[in-house]
């Protein structure tokens, strides 16, 4: 996608409904690559209206091969997804790459990396199949899916809305309690007074894409799952320039960011408990100061 220039906005927030009693945000050492085999009690979640309740399930014992933590990435062969996979592997994670096209995946990723497993996963095919793909060995899910623009105006809803909901439901079935979504700034543009913003209009031309993404975000926030929703500005394929600027939801209205930095933020969210239950908006700016991710995520308040 090319650089998008967006206009100014009043501030508006979504009201999240969640209960924290059944889960705790991951600590930094939860994803330490040197962790030992552990025994943990997982929770499954039932939705009742807009409330999330929990049901205790059998305690299981997990043994991690080489002490590594496995992350499932949906949309792994996409422009952002493949960068997320590469950065996860570089940081010592094991990765289960969920892809629609196995042949494309073979040309995208090296086949001789023992820390990478490629599995077929189409988010539009329902939560049961996705649960099989994610499996009981994945500790977190990163959603980097996106529809392909075309004549099918319902495609954004199948992928960016129903597909994301299917992923969340699969996580709930498995007891996976960490979910990171790559979304977009301006998803809440209507409430921000940005309905005439050229970027908001452009991004909604193909089947109300931003509306579909916003409703998926709202579903995640009601689910009770420990989430981080990342809303990047206009996405660039070129190498990173400048430093990350991170703001609360419905704040940023212009700017762009390299996909490499988006992937970096997604991976860093896994190891920083300050990112839990938060929506963050990101762009990069040459004049922005360099800040640690502890500081960046910590500066955003939970809603």
């Amino acid at each position: 996608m090319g650089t998008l220039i967006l206009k100014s906005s009043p501030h508006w927030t979504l009201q999240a409904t969640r209960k924290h009693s059944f889960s705790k945000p991951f600590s930094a050492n939860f994803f330490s690559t040197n962790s030992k085999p552990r025994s943990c009690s997982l929770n499954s979640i039932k939705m009742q209206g807009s409330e999330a309740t929990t049901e205790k399930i059998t305690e299981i014992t997990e043994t991690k091969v080489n002490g590594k933590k496995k992350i499932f990435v949906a949309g792994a062969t996409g422009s952002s997804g493949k960068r997320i996979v590469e950065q996860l592997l570089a940081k010592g994670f094991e990765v289960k790459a969920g892809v629609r096209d196995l042949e494309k995946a073979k040309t995208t990723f090296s086949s001789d990396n023992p820390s990478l497993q490629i599995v077929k996963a189409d988010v539009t095919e329902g939560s049961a199949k996705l649960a099989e793909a994610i499996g009981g060995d994945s500790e977190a899910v990163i959603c980097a899916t996106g529809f392909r623009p075309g004549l099918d105006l319902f495609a954004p809803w199948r992928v960016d809305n129903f597909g994301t909901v299917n992923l969340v439901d699969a996580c709930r079935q498995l007891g996976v309690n960490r979910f990171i979504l790559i979304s977009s700034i301006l998803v809440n543009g209507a409430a921000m007074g940005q309905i005439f913003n050229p970027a908001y209009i452009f991004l909604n031309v193909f089947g109300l894409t931003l509306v579909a993404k916003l409703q998926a975000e709202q579903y995640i926030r009601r689910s009770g799952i420990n989430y981080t929703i990342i809303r990047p500005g206009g996405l660039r394929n070129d190498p990173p320039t400048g430093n990350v600027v991170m703001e609360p939801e419905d704040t940023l209205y212009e700017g762009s960011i390299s996909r490499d930095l988006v992937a970096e933020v997604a991976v860093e969210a896994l190891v920083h408990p300050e990112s839990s239950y938060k929506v963050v908006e990101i762009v990069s700016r040459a004049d922005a100061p360099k800040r640690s991710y502890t500081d960046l995520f910590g500066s955003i308040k939970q809603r």
Side-chain angles (χ1 to χ4, degrees):
M1 180 186 297
T3 299
L4 300 177
I5 304 299
L6 318 177
K7 301 296 182 181
S8 63
S9 64
H11 194 77
W12 187 86
T13 60
L14 293 172
Q15 182 63 42
T17 302
R18 64 175 181 263
K19 294 184 178 179
H20 294 275
S21 60
F22 61 89
S23 63
K24 296 180 181 179
F26 289 164
S27 63
N29 60 10
F30 185 92
F31 275 108
S32 168
T33 56
N34 296 318
S35 63
K36 298 178 181 179
R38 63 187 178 86
S39 179
C40 66
S41 178
L42 300 179
N43 290 323
S44 63
I45 305 167
K46 292 183 178 180
M47 297 298 296
Q48 296 179 353
S50 62
E51 293 289 335
T53 61
T54 61
E55 178 184 63
K56 195 94 170 204
I57 62 175
T58 306
E59 185 175 87
I60 63 173
T61 300
E62 294 179 303
T63 302
K64 299 299 173 188
V65 178
N66 299 325
K68 295 183 178 180
K69 310 299 182 181
K70 184 171 289 186
I71 312 301
F72 181 89
V73 179
T77 55
S79 297
S80 297
K82 66 182 179 182
R83 289 169 167 83
I84 292 171
V85 170
E86 290 166 355
Q87 292 198 31
L88 284 169
L89 293 171
K91 285 186 173 291
F93 291 96
E94 287 193 345
V95 178
K96 186 176 287 189
V99 303
R100 289 189 303 173
D101 187 338
L102 291 173
E103 292 303 315
K104 179 180 178 180
K106 291 177 182 178
T107 62
T108 302
F109 303 113
S110 171
S111 60
D112 58 358
N113 191 330
S115 294
L116 175 62
Q117 178 184 358
I118 299 173
V119 297
K120 184 171 177 57
D122 187 337
V123 296
T124 66
E125 292 184 347
S127 61
K129 285 189 176 181
L130 284 173
E132 292 178 5
I134 295 169
D137 56 347
S138 297
E139 296 201 35
V141 168
I142 300 178
C143 178
T145 57
F147 85 102
R148 296 175 181 176
L151 298 178
D152 183 1
L153 297 183
F154 196 64
W157 290 86
R158 280 201 301 270
V159 177
D160 294 323
N161 183 273
F162 301 140
T164 302
V165 168
N166 287 338
L167 272 175
V168 173
D169 287 345
C171 287
R172 291 167 54 213
Q173 292 170 29
L174 295 166
V176 176
N177 191 41
R178 192 68 174 100
F179 194 94
I180 295 172
L181 173 70
I182 307 301
S183 184
S184 173
I185 61 172
L186 272 187
V187 293
N188 205 27
M192 296 166 65
Q194 297 295 306
I195 57 174
F196 297 114
N197 185 311
Y200 183 76
I201 294 171
F202 173 78
L203 291 172
N204 272 320
V205 164
F206 300 103
L208 299 177
T209 305
L210 294 180
V211 178
K213 287 179 179 291
L214 178 61
Q215 291 195 12
E217 287 188 12
Q218 292 170 336
Y219 189 84
I220 294 169
R221 296 173 76 159
R222 294 193 301 266
S223 72
I225 285 178
N226 180 352
Y227 65 85
T228 305
I229 296 171
I230 300 168
R231 297 176 177 175
L235 296 171
R236 304 192 310 265
N237 291 323
D238 54 305
T241 56
N243 293 317
V244 173
V245 174
M246 185 177 292
E247 297 290 347
E249 60 187 294
D250 307 333
T251 299
L252 294 175
Y253 56 86
E254 65 179 359
S256 62
I257 188 167
S258 167
R259 291 181 188 272
D260 292 309
L261 281 179
V262 175
E264 181 176 288
V265 172
V267 174
E268 291 294 333
L270 287 173
V271 296
H272 286 86
E274 297 85 0
S275 69
S276 294
Y277 300 103
K278 291 181 180 179
V279 178
V280 301
E281 298 187 342
I282 56 172
V283 295
S284 63
R285 293 175 185 157
D287 59 350
K290 179 70 174 178
R291 299 169 64 189
S292 70
Y293 280 102
T294 298
D295 183 25
L296 285 167
F297 285 119
S299 68
I300 308 299
K301 294 182 179 180
Q302 293 180 0
R303 296 297 176 90

